[in-house]
Amino acid sequence: MSDHDDFDALFRAEYPALVRELRLVCGGVPLAEEVAAEAFVACWSRWSEVSTYDRPGAWVRRVALRQAGRRRWRRARRGDLERIAASWASTDGPLDLDLLEALRDLTHPQRVAVVLHHLAGWPADDIAEVLGCAEATVRSHLRRGRQRLQRALGTADDLQEVPHAHPR
Amino acid sequence: MPIRDDLGRRLDRAAGPSPDPEPALASLGPRLGPRLAPGVPRRDRRVAVVLAVGLIGLVGAWLLGRGSSDAPQPVTSVALSTTTASSTSVAPAVPPATVPATPPPGYVTVADHEGNPVGYVVANADLEPLPTFALGTGAPLAGQRVVDAAGHPNGYFIVGLGYVSDDQARDRAEIDRLVAEHEAFQAEAEAQLREERGGPTG
C-alpha cells in the first residue's frame, strides 16, 4: 500500500470515533470536526515518522484531545446546547441535554477521562498518555468526574470501576 | 467494543451517530497539499521534479539528435519545463475562465492544490520570485485576503495550510484567531513528536 492509502485507511478507521469523542469533549460539531481535521493535517505533514508508530491513531488522538483542551468548551445556554446537539443527535431518542450540561461543567481533564474511559473504553494508562499525567491522576479525574456527573444527574450508578478491555 | 455501563450508554447516545469519513476526507484534500512524497522537504521535491524533467528532456534530445545531426535540439523546451516545475511546484492546469492565471502587477496567483487559480494576493518578499503560490505550501500569507483581478476581496482568506471562505471567517479577528489556532496546533504536533522521539514509539 502507498503512503496515501495507509493514511486514508487510518483516517477512515479513526475519524468517526474521534469526532464522536470530540463532540463531547469540545461541545460542538463544527469545532469537533475542525479539531479532528487539524489533527489529521498535522499527522499527514509528519507522516513519514508517525506512520512508523505502532499506533498512529493514538498519536492523532493525543494531538486532537490536547488541542481541544486549549479551546474553551462552549459556554452555551441550554437553548444553544439544544441547537448544537440537535445537529448531531441521532433520531432514535431524545437529546440528553442534562448530560451535555453536566459534561460542560467538568474540567477538561475530567471530561477527557470520562469520555475516553466510558465511551471509548480506554484504560487509565492510555488516558494518562493523552493527558500527560500519572495514571493515579487519571483515576482521580475519573472519580471526581463521575461524582460531579452523579450529583448533576441525580443518579447513583456509575461510581464503580468497570472492567475494560484494552481498546487498541 | 468497550463494555458499557449506564454512563457509557448515555455518552454513546449523546455523542450521536458516527460521521461518514468520506466527505471529510475529500474536504481535507486541499489542506493536505499536493500529496506527493510526504515527509520529504519541499525543496527536495522540487529538485526531484527538476531532475526528472531534465532527465526526460535529455533522453528525448538524445533520441531526436540520433536521427539527424542537423535536427534542432529541444534544449529550450526542456529548460522551460524545468523552470515551470521548480518555481510553481504545482501541476500545470487549465485555469478557469473567471480567474486568469496571469496576476495583476504586484500580485501573485493563488492556486488550489490542483493548480487551478482561485485569486490573487499581494506579493511580498517571500513570494516575489514565484509566479504562483500554491495552497498547501505553507503559510507566509496567513490571514491575507484573496482578491479578484480588480483587487476586490473574492471571499477567501489564507489560513494555515489552506484557505477559508467568508462564511467561516467574517472579520479580521476571526482570521487572526484561526491563524493562531493553526500555529498552536502545529506547535502541539511538534511537541508531540518530540515526546514520541523521547520514548517508545506508538
Side-chain angles (χ1 to χ4, degrees):
Chain A
M1 287 222 299
S2 70
D3 283 324
H4 297 175
D5 293 337
D6 288 342
F7 177 82
D8 290 354
L10 175 73
F11 187 93
R12 291 187 179 100
E14 299 288 343
Y15 180 81
L18 178 59
V19 168
R20 293 186 81 232
E21 290 153 19
L22 287 170
R23 284 171 184 168
L24 300 180
V25 170
C26 298
V29 170
L31 190 55
E33 293 177 350
E34 178 60 26
V35 169
E38 285 273 13
F40 277 102
V41 169
C43 174
W44 175 250
S45 66
R46 296 155 181 82
W47 185 244
S48 60
E49 182 163 354
V50 177
S51 62
T52 64
Y53 297 160
D54 294 336
R55 295 157 55 201
W59 186 88
V60 174
R61 253 182 184 71
R62 280 196 286 275
V63 170
L65 289 168
R66 286 188 184 182
Q67 180 61 21
R70 302 188 194 284
R71 307 185 186 199
R72 287 187 179 279
W73 221 85
R74 288 171 185 268
R75 304 308 299 173
R77 294 188 297 267
R78 192 176 176 94
D80 297 327
L81 209 56
E82 189 169 5
R83 180 178 50 78
I84 292 166
S87 62
W88 81 69
S90 56
T91 56
D92 56 358
L95 294 174
D96 197 344
L97 291 180
D98 291 338
L99 178 60
L100 294 174
E101 277 190 318
L103 277 173
R104 182 193 60 189
D105 293 334
L106 299 184
T107 65
H108 176 71
Q110 288 171 354
R111 206 161 41 241
V112 169
V114 166
V115 168
L116 287 185
H117 186 69
H118 289 274
L119 177 66
W122 282 39
D125 56 343
D126 278 1
I127 300 171
E129 277 189 44
V130 169
L131 291 175
C133 63
E135 189 177 332
T137 309
V138 170
R139 294 190 184 283
S140 172
H141 287 317
L142 269 174
R143 186 173 60 253
R144 291 182 182 181
R146 283 195 297 255
Q147 285 172 344
R148 289 177 70 172
L149 288 177
Q150 182 196 11
R151 278 197 296 273
L153 300 172
T155 55
D157 50 12
D158 301 330
L159 282 176
Q160 293 178 337
E161 285 282 351
V162 287
H164 288 295
H166 201 284
R168 43 201 135 223
Chain B
M1 193 69 184
I3 301 167
R4 292 221 167 92
D5 56 1
D6 284 348
L7 178 56
R9 282 190 287 273
R10 285 185 76 167
L11 289 168
D12 189 42
R13 283 195 300 273
S18 292
D20 182 359
E22 296 305 329
L25 184 58
S27 68
L28 202 63
R31 300 171 65 185
L32 297 177
R35 298 179 68 184
L36 295 168
V40 177
R42 195 162 191 81
R43 185 182 300 274
D44 292 350
R45 273 185 262 166
R46 289 178 191 165
V47 170
V49 170
V50 169
L51 289 176
V53 171
L55 187 60
I56 291 168
L58 287 172
V59 170
W62 178 75
L63 288 173
L64 285 172
R66 198 176 56 164
S68 167
S69 59
D70 296 331
Q73 305 298 302
V75 174
T76 304
S77 64
V78 171
L80 184 63
S81 300
T82 302
T83 303
T84 302
S86 63
S87 59
T88 65
S89 193
V90 294
V94 179
T98 51
V99 182
T102 305
Y107 288 81
V108 293
T109 305
V110 177
D112 65 17
H113 67 297
E114 292 175 339
N116 302 311
V118 298
Y120 313 100
V121 290
V122 177
N124 65 20
D126 291 329
L127 295 168
E128 221 154 11
L130 302 181
T132 301
F133 168 66
L135 295 171
T137 58
L141 294 174
Q144 272 212 40
R145 284 177 180 277
V146 181
V147 299
D148 61 21
H152 301 130
N154 71 357
Y156 290 101
F157 300 88
I158 306 293
V159 173
L161 294 172
Y163 55 90
V164 295
S165 69
D166 263 338
D167 293 338
Q168 296 166 285
R170 293 184 184 283
D171 54 35
R172 185 75 203 188
E174 177 69 357
I175 297 168
D176 289 344
R177 186 186 67 76
L178 288 168
V179 172
E181 281 186 0
H182 171 79
E183 288 171 351
F185 218 106
Q186 293 303 311
E188 180 69 46
E190 285 299 335
Q192 187 67 50
L193 268 186
R194 283 195 295 274
E195 281 183 29
E196 300 284 354
R197 288 182 189 124
T201 59

